[in-house]
Amino acid sequence: MKTIEQKLIERIRSGNEALIDQLYEDYRGPFVQWLCQHFKASEHEAADIFQDALIVFYSNVTSGK
């Protein structure tokens, strides 16, 4: 049985770019809030960090890492 994470990765690898958009929308706010609270980052810095992390995640998934 495949885990939810495995299914998401398969969908991304198959070219489902809408899923990346959905992940961005779902997790950006909570991540930015958490980073600002715990690491005293500005909202702008936190948003940049989230976007960079999502780009690295997408790159790693699509390259098979």
Side-chain angles (χ1 to χ4, degrees):
M1 180 180 234
K2 293 181 182 177
T3 66
I4 292 171
E5 292 84 6
Q6 289 170 323
K7 291 177 184 178
L8 289 174
I9 288 171
E10 285 179 1
R11 288 174 57 196
I12 293 168
R13 282 186 181 152
S14 72
N16 187 340
E17 291 185 15
L19 180 57
I20 291 293
D21 294 339
Q22 187 63 50
L23 291 173
Y24 184 91
E25 291 295 321
D26 290 349
Y27 293 102
R28 181 186 180 276
F31 180 87
V32 167
Q33 183 179 20
W34 175 80
L35 198 62
C36 289
Q37 289 175 349
H38 288 86
F39 294 96
K40 306 298 184 209
S42 71
E43 188 171 332
H44 179 76
E45 290 171 322
D48 283 348
I49 292 168
F50 178 76
Q51 185 165 333
D52 290 346
L54 197 61
I55 290 168
V56 170
F57 169 75
Y58 179 77
S59 176
N60 285 343
V61 168
T62 57
S63 69
K65 290 185 179 178

